[in-house]
Amino acid sequence: MELKKINQQPKSKYEEALSKYNLDIDDAKVREEVMKIIAEKVPENDNIEVKRFLMGSVELTSLSTTDSDQSIMAFTEKVNKFDDAYPQLPHVATICVYPCFASVVSNTLDVEGVEIACVSGSFPSSQALLEVKVAETALAVKDGATEIDIVMPVGKFLCGDYEGVCDDISEMKHACGDKAMKVILETGCLKTAKNIKTASILAMYAGADYIKTSTGKLSPAATPEAAYVMCQAIKEYYDETGIQIGFKPAGGLNTVTDALTYYTIVKEILGEKWLTNKWFRLGTSRLANMLLSEVTGEETKFF
């Protein structure tokens, strides 16, 4: 008996943290629950009021190889002009760009309340020396970013290097200072509900202010099943710690119905407290015109 105690390895602090949460998740059960929510709850949220709200949760995003100072300036000016053209409608929550354009957005944006988000930390792969990722993050903040989106080191996670995962996230959170940081899990690479739940908990434990599904650069990107699991993790983390964490689906949001589906999942699992444009974001650009068209009642291509 004594020998058994001596040979028993103590839990790491990461295993200790994870032990507080239910990680025994059945993927088939998740799919079943999501299908039920979509069938029974989405229709009741299909209305103009919800679509107006969703417009105000959009993170208008430009992450293209062809981006330039000129194109990002024009992109930002559209947000300025929207505020004048549609004063009765909520403006987008955020403009999301590469770090090299943080100062362009900061110097061009006139609308109060629109955040400037930069993807950082060697987006979209997270494959760079930590020192490089930290430096890029700090420079983005210096140049005007008010939010930072980073990618969890997925390779380290899949190898079980939870310490490496958390060190990366916490170092970049330190570089953010008081600016909010979103951690992208790249859920399409994680494959299982258990992995998505585990990654969600680790990201929040390491300092994430939001957890985000995907970069949009790999397929599959956001899925309702991943969103369901991530929202369950956020709820359990909030119940355990009292810390509210935001949620951002991104990648593959192609229709208004997609947006309504994610809204409904958040509403059903997390409740009204998360239904603000601070705690619930949509990473997309194509949806902005679709939502605007439905709200105004005519096809509109503003953005």
Side-chain angles (χ1 to χ4, degrees):
M1 191 72 174
E2 290 300 318
L3 183 61
K4 191 172 182 180
K5 280 185 180 179
I6 291 170
N7 290 335
Q8 191 175 23
Q9 290 290 326
K11 285 183 179 179
S12 71
K13 62 181 180 180
Y14 310 104
E15 292 169 325
E16 192 67 44
L18 290 169
S19 70
K20 299 175 182 177
Y21 302 93
N22 174 31
L23 300 177
D24 185 19
I25 314 168
D26 181 76
D27 288 85
K29 182 68 173 174
V30 168
R31 284 192 294 273
E32 182 183 323
E33 290 295 322
V34 168
M35 288 175 64
K36 185 177 179 183
I37 288 174
I38 292 172
E40 297 179 3
K41 299 295 183 179
V42 169
E44 69 189 45
N45 294 318
D46 188 358
N47 58 65
I48 295 298
E49 184 181 350
V50 170
K51 291 168 187 174
R52 283 173 59 96
F53 165 78
L54 290 169
M55 281 191 64
S57 288
V58 165
E59 295 207 349
L60 205 64
T61 303
S62 187
L63 299 172
S64 170
T65 302
T66 57
D67 287 344
S68 65
D69 287 356
Q70 290 74 22
S71 70
I72 295 300
M73 189 180 298
F75 185 69
T76 307
E77 282 289 7
K78 288 181 181 178
V79 175
N80 292 337
K81 291 174 182 175
F82 179 87
D83 206 46
D84 293 331
Y86 297 95
Q88 76 281 15
L89 296 179
H91 55 65
V92 296
T94 312
I95 295 174
C96 184
V97 295
Y98 282 111
C100 53
F101 301 115
S103 60
V104 174
V105 179
S106 181
N107 292 329
T108 307
L109 183 65
D110 295 330
V111 184
E112 290 186 12
V114 176
E115 302 291 346
I116 302 169
C118 286
V119 294
S120 185
S122 193
F123 177 94
S125 68
S126 192
Q127 299 287 19
L129 295 170
L130 180 56
E131 293 85 350
V132 173
K133 295 194 281 188
V134 167
E136 183 182 37
T137 302
L139 287 168
V141 171
K142 178 185 76 67
D143 283 350
T146 60
E147 297 181 351
I148 294 292
D149 291 27
I150 69 163
V151 182
M152 177 188 76
V154 177
K156 289 181 181 179
F157 176 84
L158 293 174
C159 290
D161 180 9
Y162 295 166
E163 181 175 4
V165 169
C166 291
D167 283 350
D168 261 46
I169 293 170
S170 62
E171 286 290 331
M172 281 187 275
K173 175 58 184 172
H174 182 71
C176 289
D178 61 354
K179 309 306 181 188
M181 184 179 74
K182 308 183 197 89
V183 176
I184 305 165
L185 306 183
E186 202 66 282
T187 52
C189 295
L190 301 184
K191 306 297 185 186
T192 68
K194 181 177 181 179
N195 277 348
I196 294 169
K197 181 79 168 284
T198 302
S200 298
I201 298 297
L202 289 173
M204 293 185 286
Y205 174 78
D209 298 293
Y210 295 75
I211 51 176
K212 175 178 168 182
T213 57
S214 323
T215 61
K217 302 297 185 183
L218 296 176
S219 184
T223 65
E225 290 78 14
Y228 178 91
V229 173
M230 291 169 71
C231 286
Q232 288 282 11
I234 290 170
K235 182 178 188 303
E236 289 181 31
Y237 189 80
Y238 179 73
D239 291 344
E240 176 68 30
T241 67
I243 300 171
Q244 187 170 4
I245 302 294
F247 173 62
K248 179 182 173 182
L253 278 68
N254 298 315
T255 67
V256 172
T257 300
D258 290 337
L260 291 171
T261 296
Y262 291 113
Y263 172 92
T264 304
I265 289 169
V266 169
K267 182 179 179 182
E268 292 302 311
I269 297 174
L270 294 172
E272 297 287 340
K273 189 171 184 177
W274 268 262
L275 293 179
T276 74
N277 74 346
K278 176 178 180 180
W279 298 110
F280 175 52
R281 301 282 181 76
L282 296 167
T284 181
S285 282
R286 62 174 66 90
L287 265 182
N289 284 326
M290 294 179 187
L291 287 165
L292 180 59
S293 296
E294 298 224 0
V295 168
T296 60
E298 58 184 13
E299 186 173 355
T300 306
K301 293 183 179 178
F302 188 93
F303 294 103

